[in-house]
């Protein structure tokens, strides 16, 4: 998954938690995977909905990845895929560093623990206030690309 506007070189490898603003297709759209590059699709998305998320930044050594990646897991069950939907993130905390696992079971166990930790942290009132940030729901501008569009 491309990191988009996130400069991963500035962030330590590990597992983080926060909020994700996900642009959703309007009712009536199938949401099925389309092989057309997202930039070429002329889909109109509804106002983003905000979900709790846990995110891994790193090399995924268990899978022997050769490229550093960002993997975002939204803590919600979706009825259909959302390929190509815009995603905005607020990273609020660090859970743990990246580990190299000797078994897939150990990796899965830690992922489940990461999800539990993220969920408990985000229930706190201090973190709930970030859920409604204007830019997270698509009302504010972020990053240089957004500034260029304005000017």
């Amino acid at each position: 998954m491309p990191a988009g506007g996130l400069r991963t070189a500035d962030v330590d490898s590990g597992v983080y938690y926060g909020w994700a603003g996900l642009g959703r297709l309007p009712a009536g759209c199938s949401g099925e995977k389309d092989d057309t590059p997202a930039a070429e699709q002329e889909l109109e998305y509804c106002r983003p909905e905000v979900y709790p998320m846990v995110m891994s930044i790193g090399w995924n050594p268990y899978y022997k990845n050769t490229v550093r990646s960002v993997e975002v897991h939204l803590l919600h069950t979706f009825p259909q895929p959302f390929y190509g939907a815009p995603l905005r993130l607020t990273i609020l905390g660090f859970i743990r560093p990246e580990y190299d696992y000797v078994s897939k079971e150990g990796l899965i166990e830690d992922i489940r623990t990461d999800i539990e930790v993220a969920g408990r942290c985000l229930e706190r009132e201090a973190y709930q206030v970030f859920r409604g940030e204007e830019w997270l729901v698509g009302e504010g501008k972020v990053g240089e690309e957004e500034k260029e569009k304005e000017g």
Side-chain angles (χ1 to χ4, degrees):
M1 170 186 211
L6 180 63
R7 292 180 299 276
T8 60
D10 299 340
V11 181
D12 291 335
S13 290
V15 179
Y16 296 82
Y17 64 89
W19 297 108
L22 175 67
R24 302 299 304 273
L25 288 169
C29 293
S30 69
E32 295 177 10
K33 186 174 181 179
D34 182 345
D35 291 330
T36 307
E40 294 176 21
Q41 295 181 35
E42 293 189 23
L43 299 176
E44 189 155 324
Y45 290 90
C46 298
R47 177 187 165 139
E49 294 178 43
V50 178
Y51 300 96
M53 65 90 180
V54 64
M55 176 176 71
S56 170
I57 298 176
W59 299 93
N60 300 318
Y62 179 78
Y63 292 102
K64 310 290 187 245
N65 288 3
T66 58
V67 176
R68 196 161 188 241
S69 65
V70 175
E71 296 178 355
V72 178
H73 176 79
L74 302 184
L75 305 183
H76 181 80
T77 302
F78 293 92
Q80 61 191 23
F82 49 87
Y83 295 103
L87 184 67
R88 293 179 175 205
L89 305 174
T90 294
I91 301 171
L92 297 175
F94 180 79
I95 298 175
R96 64 174 175 83
E98 178 178 54
Y99 299 129
D100 189 359
Y101 293 88
V102 295
S103 72
K104 189 173 185 176
E105 292 75 22
L107 170 61
I108 292 169
E109 183 179 332
D110 271 6
I111 289 171
R112 287 184 177 135
T113 300
D114 298 337
I115 290 169
E116 290 173 16
V117 169
R120 283 195 313 268
C121 289
L122 292 169
E123 288 174 357
R124 296 178 182 159
E125 188 176 330
Y127 292 124
Q128 285 288 319
V129 297
F130 293 97
R131 188 176 195 159
E133 286 186 341
E134 289 182 6
W135 75 266
L136 191 60
V137 294
E139 295 175 357
K141 303 292 184 191
V142 260
E144 296 303 315
E145 291 178 15
E146 298 284 353
K147 288 179 186 175
E148 289 175 12
K149 289 179 188 174
E150 291 176 346

